[in-house]
Amino acid sequence: MGYNILILGGTTQARQFAEAIAGRAELDCVMSLAGRTRAPVTQPVPVRVGGFGGVAGLAAYLRQHRINVLVDATHPFAATISANAAAAVRQTGTAHFAIRRPPWCAQAGDLCFEVDDLSAALDHGSIGGRSRRIFAALGRQELQPLITAPQHYYLIRSIEAIEPRLNVPRVRYVLDRGPFALDDEMALLRAHNIDLVIAKNSGGDAAYAKLRAARELGIEVCLIKRPVLPEVASVDTIEAAVSLLDHMLSSPAGEEAGRVVGADDAASDLGMERGE
Ligand code: NAP
């Protein structure tokens, strides 16, 4: 008997999870991408692209495609789609869990502080007054607040060109796609004489090298706190995600067509966390 799995993706972890289950004949997997990147990386499973049309649209998709398990492997800052997923599965009764990487924590030797958002970062006492050389490791659509602080030099890295350009006098753009190696991150920070990194507290390995590089070079880091995410069954590794999926599918309820055991029950059987 086959099962339909929908993965909400757009992250390295989503691709790794898809890779881990792609070869299994009993699983029909689809990866959903928002469509933000014009040339997304190749995925190991079929892909659909674009929004669903809010909670109602996602619920309709789950019903129409008889999705057995919805796996939310989106980025921890993609709070809207995660909230929509939690609401849609409540409507349809679809089993659901999230893959959530733990947030990064400051380690001994880090010059690191956290703020609520980019505006708070720019207003922060240790940044605001003087001119800094800032690596703004942020998404294309999140950069606008930088124009309120034109006294700084900004280094912006993105997969696709930033258009329109930011209206600040000193800015350099680098086009590149992660994951990035520690040596390359150190070379980038040195080449631009960076003295502050501003980044989202994304967690995980794929984007961590810039923080290690900052630590090695004694550079200050300002981390933007995560948004509040819905409390759902969640795991933080690909291995745990595969185990939880298998547990849901192998439960007696999972063998009934179109339905599997509730994610919360399965997660609690496996000793998994609920929420962040
Ligand atoms: P968001 O604010 O949470 O979502 C906005 C809307 O985009 C959603 O309501 C949904 O539209 C659509 N959407 C988001 N993710 C989708 C997906 N995987 N499949 C289909 N539709 C999706 O999301 P975001 O922060 O703009 O992030 C968009 C995508 O980029 C996510 O897939 C995320 O994993 C990835 N990403 C985000 C970040 C980040 O920092 N935010 C970083 C790296 C990757 P409808 O309401 O029409 O369904």
Side-chain angles (χ1 to χ4, degrees):
M1 173 177 173
Y3 297 101
N4 299 317
I5 313 296
L6 177 64
I7 305 168
L8 300 175
T11 59
T12 304
Q13 275 192 314
R15 185 173 43 75
Q16 290 169 340
F17 176 68
E19 252 160 34
I21 60 172
R24 291 172 51 171
E26 81 281 19
L27 303 181
D28 250 322
C29 302
V30 170
M31 171 80 72
S32 176
L33 301 177
R36 303 278 188 270
T37 311
R38 271 192 291 271
V41 293
T42 309
Q43 297 289 338
V45 297
V47 171
R48 67 159 298 284
V49 179
F52 295 94
V55 176
L58 180 52
Y61 183 99
L62 296 175
R63 288 195 185 98
Q64 187 189 345
H65 296 268
R66 302 181 64 80
I67 298 300
N68 296 94
V69 183
L70 173 62
V71 182
D72 176 3
T74 56
H75 191 273
F77 280 72
T80 304
I81 188 69
S82 289
N84 288 358
V89 298
R90 271 199 302 275
Q91 287 184 14
T92 60
T94 310
H96 161 235
F97 69 91
I99 306 177
R100 290 198 184 146
R101 34 192 159 161
W104 294 316
C105 293
Q107 296 185 13
D110 286 352
L111 300 164
C112 183
F113 60 97
E114 275 205 317
V115 294
D116 287 337
D117 55 30
L118 180 55
S119 297
L122 295 169
D123 286 345
H124 194 273
S126 83
I127 300 181
R130 58 208 169 94
S131 171
R132 306 288 301 262
R133 295 186 66 86
I134 300 177
F135 175 26
L138 302 163
R140 223 165 10 122
Q141 282 142 355
E142 299 151 351
L143 299 168
Q144 269 312 305
L146 298 182
I147 65 173
T148 65
Q151 71 273 28
H152 304 304
Y153 168 96
Y154 293 110
L155 170 65
I156 312 283
R157 179 169 64 194
S158 56
I159 297 172
E160 288 170 8
I162 308 288
E163 295 293 349
R165 298 303 221 201
L166 284 177
N167 187 16
V168 287
R170 291 184 303 146
V171 57
R172 289 294 299 274
Y173 298 96
V174 175
L175 288 183
D176 213 344
R177 190 198 290 266
F180 302 101
L182 175 62
D183 287 351
D184 295 337
E185 294 295 58
M186 288 176 65
L188 183 74
L189 297 181
R190 279 201 191 101
H192 292 266
N193 208 10
I194 295 300
D195 62 25
L196 175 71
V197 175
I198 302 181
K200 290 177 289 190
N201 194 340
S202 301
D205 300 332
Y208 189 63
K210 59 181 175 278
L211 301 197
R212 271 194 66 198
R215 182 184 309 137
E216 298 288 328
L217 298 173
I219 292 172
E220 201 174 10
V221 173
C222 174
L223 284 180
I224 297 175
K225 285 181 199 161
R226 293 176 172 202
V228 175
L229 297 171
E231 288 213 359
V232 301
S234 65
V235 291
D236 61 11
T237 65
I238 303 305
E239 297 70 30
V242 174
S243 297
L244 182 51
L245 178 71
D246 284 340
H247 186 82
M248 289 178 178
L249 297 176
S250 66
S251 69
E255 284 154 20
E256 292 170 31
R259 300 281 293 148
V260 294
V261 68
D264 290 349
D265 302 338
S268 101
D269 287 355
L270 289 167
M272 305 289 176
E273 296 292 321
R274 229 182 108 80
E276 279 284 86

